[in-house]
Amino acid sequence: MRDKIIDKAGVLFLNLGFKSITMDDIAKELAISKKTLYKYFSKKTELVDASTDAVHNTINEAINNIKAQNYNAIEEEFAVKAVFKEMFKNAKTSPMYQLKKYYPETYTKLMEREECLFRDCNIDNLIRGIEQGFYRKNLKIELAVKFYFTLIFGVFESEMYGNEMQELIKIEYEILEYHIRAIATPKGIQELEKQLKTINKNL
């Protein structure tokens, strides 16, 4: 039952917002009493913590699955983006922005984990991209990772780009293109253009 609660809460939080969804809403969705719900989670903050952990683990697992597919470095970046697009397809507003605003402690813990995952994933991608001839050999890897991280997470945390999730996903693809154009070889640009043709049909 605990896992069921976490899964349902995660979906509701992502789609409708951390602030607007109440413990009542979650109990109703699961057709259980609030007493049963509070048996597993004594307050909403605990459930927010558990559901964000679960979402992080799901993302981690999805990225590991993508890495096992042996895509080239640029294909892999677009495959990872597709996972996020699918995960947030029903979200109205940015979950990261809401988390930061209403649950700052949970947000800080999540960001520490996300930063590690993002860093490891991108360093691996950049090294392989250089080996495959898609990224420039003289690339400053650590700096490239930091630039990309700042751009991606800055969009979801800031009010500058609005808060409408589907618009933010489009902007995230623009950032990916910007990132790859900055580091790619002519071979890499060719692969980027190929990926953009595919995704522009679906955006």
Side-chain angles (χ1 to χ4, degrees):
M1 177 53 80
R2 188 177 190 277
D3 289 344
K4 225 176 177 181
I5 293 168
I6 291 169
D7 288 346
K8 177 56 75 177
V11 170
L12 292 171
F13 288 146
L14 287 183
N15 292 350
L16 300 171
F18 288 97
K19 176 73 172 171
S20 59
I21 290 297
T22 65
M23 295 294 263
D24 273 335
D25 295 328
I26 294 161
K28 277 177 194 167
E29 282 287 326
L30 287 161
I32 59 173
S33 67
K34 272 178 76 178
K35 187 180 174 183
T36 303
L37 182 56
Y38 280 108
K39 179 178 149 189
Y40 293 96
F41 298 96
S42 61
K43 52 188 178 179
K44 185 180 169 185
T45 310
E46 286 179 13
L47 186 47
V48 169
D49 272 348
S51 65
T52 51
D53 279 350
V55 168
H56 173 86
N57 292 337
T58 300
I59 290 169
N60 194 12
E61 193 179 319
I63 289 172
N64 287 335
N65 288 340
I66 287 166
K67 286 192 171 293
Q69 302 299 313
N70 292 318
Y71 292 125
N72 71 50
I74 294 174
E75 277 180 315
E76 180 180 278
E77 285 282 28
F78 279 89
V80 169
K81 277 288 167 287
V83 166
F84 284 95
K85 185 184 173 190
E86 179 62 25
M87 184 170 277
F88 297 116
K89 67 181 179 183
N90 296 317
K92 303 288 184 281
T93 57
S94 165
M96 296 299 284
Y97 176 79
Q98 294 170 43
L99 207 56
K100 186 178 184 182
K101 189 171 181 180
Y102 301 113
Y103 297 93
E105 286 181 19
T106 305
Y107 171 82
T108 301
K109 281 187 283 185
L110 179 66
M111 283 304 291
E112 284 169 3
R113 295 178 70 190
E114 287 292 322
E115 190 169 350
C116 289
L117 175 61
F118 184 95
R119 186 178 178 279
D120 292 347
C121 181
N122 276 277
I123 286 175
D124 175 67
N125 181 271
L126 291 173
I127 289 168
R128 286 195 307 104
I130 291 167
E131 288 168 356
Q132 293 166 350
F134 291 109
Y135 304 147
R136 297 193 317 272
K137 284 182 180 175
N138 63 345
L139 206 57
K140 293 176 180 171
I141 289 176
E142 287 283 349
L143 206 51
V145 169
K146 285 174 184 173
F147 284 164
Y148 190 30
F149 181 87
T150 303
L151 284 169
I152 287 287
F153 285 93
V155 163
F156 284 94
E157 291 174 12
S158 168
E159 292 182 346
M160 190 187 295
Y161 301 92
N163 211 13
E164 209 274 312
M165 193 62 200
Q166 295 315 304
E167 202 52 45
L168 293 175
I169 287 170
K170 289 178 186 176
I171 292 169
E172 198 173 331
Y173 274 99
E174 294 286 346
I175 291 169
L176 176 58
E177 180 183 353
Y178 184 86
H179 167 68
I180 292 173
R181 286 193 187 280
I183 64 176
T185 61
K187 179 184 173 183
I189 296 294
Q190 203 174 0
E191 179 61 31
L192 171 64
E193 297 291 354
K194 181 179 151 189
Q195 294 299 322
L196 288 173
K197 272 183 192 170
T198 305
I199 65 120
N200 283 337
K201 293 172 190 170
N202 304 317
L203 274 180

